[in-house]
Amino acid sequence: MQLIKDLSEYIEEELCDAEKYADKAMKVKETYPNLAANFLKLSIEEMGHAALLHSDVVALIGDYRKEHGDPPERMLGRYDCIHEKFIEKSNHIKALQAVLKGDMK
């Protein structure tokens, strides 16, 4: 389904932005703590955007199941692969954010 593919691309963009902001916050936290705090906020917001989009994908898959039964195996296989990649990236970003939160107390 093209819409799920599009949403997956948007999720990836949000995660990349969240990681970019967290990485930048790590680099500037010593010299520019206020800027680092803003980068952390942006990173957290991007993760929220990714979570919203993920909820939409889950809802679309649920709607598909109600109307047509289980999605084709090929589609589920692709989704599972992408989903696993997103979970790994999300966990990495959340770990960076946790370090930053601890450092900024």
Side-chain angles (χ1 to χ4, degrees):
M1 175 186 267
Q2 184 62 43
L3 186 54
I4 291 174
K5 181 181 177 193
D6 292 344
L7 289 171
S8 294
E9 289 173 9
Y10 301 154
I11 292 168
E12 185 169 19
E13 289 172 13
E14 298 294 343
L15 291 174
C16 286
D17 286 346
E19 184 176 40
K20 171 183 69 179
Y21 290 129
D23 286 341
K24 186 56 87 172
M26 292 293 282
K27 289 177 183 169
V28 303
K29 68 183 179 180
E30 300 299 324
T31 50
Y32 302 103
N34 290 337
L35 181 57
N38 287 338
F39 281 133
L40 174 59
K41 287 177 190 174
L42 290 169
S43 178
I44 292 168
E45 288 176 14
E46 297 295 337
M47 290 294 286
H49 299 165
L52 284 172
L53 293 168
H54 177 261
S55 295
D56 290 335
V57 170
V58 170
L60 285 171
I61 292 170
D63 291 346
Y64 184 95
R65 281 194 167 111
K66 287 177 190 171
E67 288 184 38
H68 308 286
D70 284 336
E73 259 205 55
R74 184 174 172 203
M75 182 177 140
L76 281 179
R78 283 184 184 165
Y79 173 77
D80 288 342
C81 181
I82 291 169
H83 189 251
E84 186 175 317
K85 179 178 136 186
F86 289 166
I87 289 172
E88 288 175 15
K89 190 166 192 123
S90 293
N91 288 338
H92 168 72
I93 295 164
K94 288 176 186 177
L96 284 174
Q97 291 172 342
V99 168
L100 288 162
K101 288 176 187 176
D103 289 348
M104 293 182 184
K105 286 185 178 182

